[in-house]
Amino acid sequence: MKLVSAIEDAWSWVGLKPAQVLGDNSFGNLLIKDEAGLYWRLCPEDLYCKVVANTRAELDALSQSQEFLEDWHMVNLVAAAKEQLGSLQPGYKYCLKIPGVLGGEYGGSNLATVPLKDLVAASGHMAREIQDLPNGAQIRLRVTD
Protein backbone atom coordinates (compact mmCIF):
# COMPACT_ATOMS: atom_id res chain seq x y z
CA MET A 1 0.00 0.00 0.00
CA LYS A 2 1.33 3.40 -0.95
CA LEU A 3 1.76 6.02 1.75
CA VAL A 4 -0.86 8.32 0.19
CA SER A 5 -3.39 5.47 0.34
CA ALA A 6 -2.50 4.75 3.96
CA ILE A 7 -3.01 8.42 4.82
CA GLU A 8 -6.36 8.48 3.06
CA ASP A 9 -7.51 5.29 4.79
CA ALA A 10 -6.54 6.58 8.24
CA TRP A 11 -7.28 10.29 8.03
CA SER A 12 -9.95 10.95 5.38
CA TRP A 13 -12.46 11.45 8.20
CA VAL A 14 -10.90 14.90 8.84
CA GLY A 15 -11.65 15.91 5.25
CA LEU A 16 -8.19 15.17 3.86
CA LYS A 17 -7.95 13.88 0.29
CA PRO A 18 -4.18 13.47 -0.02
CA ALA A 19 -2.51 13.92 -3.37
CA GLN A 20 1.18 14.05 -2.46
CA VAL A 21 3.47 13.78 0.55
CA LEU A 22 5.87 16.72 0.42
CA GLY A 23 7.98 15.93 3.44
CA ASP A 24 8.41 13.93 6.61
CA ASN A 25 10.44 14.03 9.78
CA SER A 26 11.99 11.40 12.02
CA PHE A 27 8.81 11.12 14.12
CA GLY A 28 6.53 10.49 11.15
CA ASN A 29 5.12 14.01 10.88
CA LEU A 30 4.07 14.54 7.29
CA LEU A 31 3.49 17.59 5.12
CA ILE A 32 0.78 16.67 2.65
CA LYS A 33 -0.70 18.47 -0.33
CA ASP A 34 -4.34 17.57 -0.89
CA GLU A 35 -6.36 17.36 -4.09
CA ALA A 36 -7.69 20.90 -3.56
CA GLY A 37 -4.19 22.37 -3.22
CA LEU A 38 -4.27 22.82 0.57
CA TYR A 39 -1.28 21.86 2.73
CA TRP A 40 -1.75 19.68 5.81
CA ARG A 41 0.42 18.55 8.68
CA LEU A 42 -0.11 15.09 10.09
CA CYS A 43 1.33 14.92 13.62
CA PRO A 44 1.13 11.36 15.01
CA GLU A 45 2.52 12.14 18.47
CA ASP A 46 -0.25 14.69 19.08
CA LEU A 47 -2.95 12.87 17.07
CA TYR A 48 -3.85 15.64 14.66
CA CYS A 49 -4.00 16.26 10.96
CA LYS A 50 -4.89 19.80 9.99
CA VAL A 51 -4.46 22.42 7.30
CA VAL A 52 -1.34 24.52 7.93
CA ALA A 53 -1.32 26.52 4.67
CA ASN A 54 -3.90 27.39 2.04
CA THR A 55 -1.39 28.22 -0.72
CA ARG A 56 2.17 27.40 -1.70
CA ALA A 57 3.17 30.93 -0.71
CA GLU A 58 1.76 30.36 2.79
CA LEU A 59 3.64 27.05 3.02
CA ASP A 60 6.87 28.75 1.94
CA ALA A 61 6.36 31.42 4.61
CA LEU A 62 5.64 28.74 7.22
CA SER A 63 8.82 26.91 6.27
CA GLN A 64 10.77 30.08 7.16
CA SER A 65 9.21 30.34 10.63
CA GLN A 66 11.71 29.48 13.39
CA GLU A 67 8.88 28.28 15.63
CA PHE A 68 7.61 25.90 12.94
CA LEU A 69 11.10 24.66 12.09
CA GLU A 70 11.95 23.94 15.75
CA ASP A 71 8.69 22.05 16.17
CA TRP A 72 9.16 20.20 12.87
CA HIS A 73 12.77 19.08 13.38
CA MET A 74 12.31 18.01 17.04
CA VAL A 75 16.08 18.10 17.47
CA ASN A 76 16.25 17.16 21.16
CA LEU A 77 13.63 14.41 20.93
CA VAL A 78 15.22 12.93 17.80
CA ALA A 79 18.64 12.95 19.51
CA ALA A 80 17.20 11.20 22.58
CA ALA A 81 15.43 8.61 20.42
CA LYS A 82 18.53 7.97 18.32
CA GLU A 83 20.68 7.55 21.44
CA GLN A 84 18.20 5.17 23.04
CA LEU A 85 17.00 3.22 19.98
CA GLY A 86 19.73 3.67 17.38
CA SER A 87 19.36 4.83 13.81
CA LEU A 88 16.12 4.28 11.95
CA GLN A 89 15.70 1.38 9.54
CA PRO A 90 14.32 2.26 6.09
CA GLY A 91 10.56 2.80 6.23
CA TYR A 92 10.55 3.24 10.04
CA LYS A 93 10.06 6.31 12.22
CA TYR A 94 10.48 7.07 15.89
CA CYS A 95 7.22 7.38 17.82
CA LEU A 96 5.70 7.80 21.23
CA LYS A 97 4.18 4.53 22.44
CA ILE A 98 1.45 6.58 24.12
CA PRO A 99 0.80 9.83 22.21
CA GLY A 100 1.50 13.04 24.08
CA VAL A 101 -2.11 14.14 23.82
CA LEU A 102 -3.04 11.00 25.79
CA GLY A 103 -0.51 11.75 28.51
CA GLY A 104 2.53 9.97 27.11
CA GLU A 105 5.89 11.48 27.95
CA TYR A 106 8.11 12.91 25.22
CA GLY A 107 11.05 10.62 25.84
CA GLY A 108 12.30 7.87 28.10
CA SER A 109 10.54 4.52 28.04
CA ASN A 110 7.75 5.99 25.87
CA LEU A 111 9.97 6.00 22.75
CA ALA A 112 9.86 3.30 20.09
CA THR A 113 10.26 2.74 16.36
CA VAL A 114 7.49 1.67 14.02
CA PRO A 115 6.86 1.37 10.27
CA LEU A 116 5.58 4.73 9.00
CA LYS A 117 2.42 3.23 7.49
CA ASP A 118 1.55 1.61 10.84
CA LEU A 119 2.14 4.92 12.63
CA VAL A 120 -0.17 6.73 10.19
CA ALA A 121 -2.87 4.07 10.64
CA ALA A 122 -2.66 3.87 14.44
CA SER A 123 -2.61 7.64 14.96
CA GLY A 124 -5.58 8.13 12.63
CA HIS A 125 -7.55 5.46 14.45
CA MET A 126 -6.79 6.84 17.92
CA ALA A 127 -7.51 10.43 16.83
CA ARG A 128 -10.88 9.42 15.43
CA GLU A 129 -11.77 7.56 18.64
CA ILE A 130 -11.07 10.60 20.85
CA GLN A 131 -12.18 13.39 18.50
CA ASP A 132 -15.32 14.35 20.44
CA LEU A 133 -13.92 13.99 23.94
CA PRO A 134 -13.43 17.15 26.00
CA ASN A 135 -9.96 18.07 27.24
CA GLY A 136 -9.15 16.17 30.42
CA ALA A 137 -11.58 13.33 29.72
CA GLN A 138 -10.61 9.96 31.17
CA ILE A 139 -9.82 7.27 28.59
CA ARG A 140 -8.84 3.64 28.66
CA LEU A 141 -6.26 2.61 26.10
CA ARG A 142 -6.73 -1.00 25.07
CA VAL A 143 -4.19 -2.58 22.75
CA THR A 144 -5.40 -5.45 20.58
CA ASP A 145 -3.84 -7.48 17.80
Side-chain angles (χ1 to χ4, degrees):
M1 176 188 290
K2 289 186 160 195
L3 183 55
V4 169
S5 297
I7 296 166
E8 186 166 13
D9 288 348
W11 288 94
S12 62
W13 61 272
V14 297
L16 173 61
K17 293 184 180 181
Q20 179 183 11
V21 175
L22 302 176
D24 63 86
N25 72 16
S26 295
F27 270 82
N29 283 229
L30 303 174
L31 280 176
I32 305 159
K33 183 177 182 181
D34 76 6
E35 292 176 357
L38 300 174
Y39 298 89
W40 298 67
R41 180 176 181 176
L42 192 160
C43 183
E45 71 276 4
D46 287 330
L47 301 180
Y48 73 76
C49 186
K50 64 184 179 182
V51 173
V52 293
N54 293 305
T55 65
R56 182 63 198 213
E58 286 181 13
L59 181 65
D60 290 344
L62 183 65
S63 71
Q64 300 299 312
S65 161
Q66 279 305 119
E67 182 179 350
F68 175 80
L69 291 172
E70 286 176 21
D71 187 53
W72 179 260
H73 290 292
M74 308 167 116
V75 174
N76 293 334
L77 191 57
V78 170
K82 189 171 186 176
E83 182 177 321
Q84 182 177 330
L85 303 167
S87 297
L88 289 168
Q89 298 176 37
Y92 279 68
K93 298 293 180 181
Y94 299 116
C95 69
L96 301 181
K97 294 176 188 177
I98 299 173
V101 72
L102 298 180
E105 74 172 294
Y106 286 80
S109 64
N110 198 37
L111 295 174
T113 61
V114 66
L116 177 57
K117 290 177 186 171
D118 292 349
L119 181 58
V120 167
S123 63
H125 177 75
M126 284 187 279
R128 189 170 193 173
E129 289 294 313
I130 66 165
Q131 69 178 326
D132 295 325
L133 296 177
N135 286 342
Q138 295 291 313
I139 64 159
R140 180 176 301 151
L141 186 59
R142 187 179 66 187
V143 180
T144 61
D145 290 337

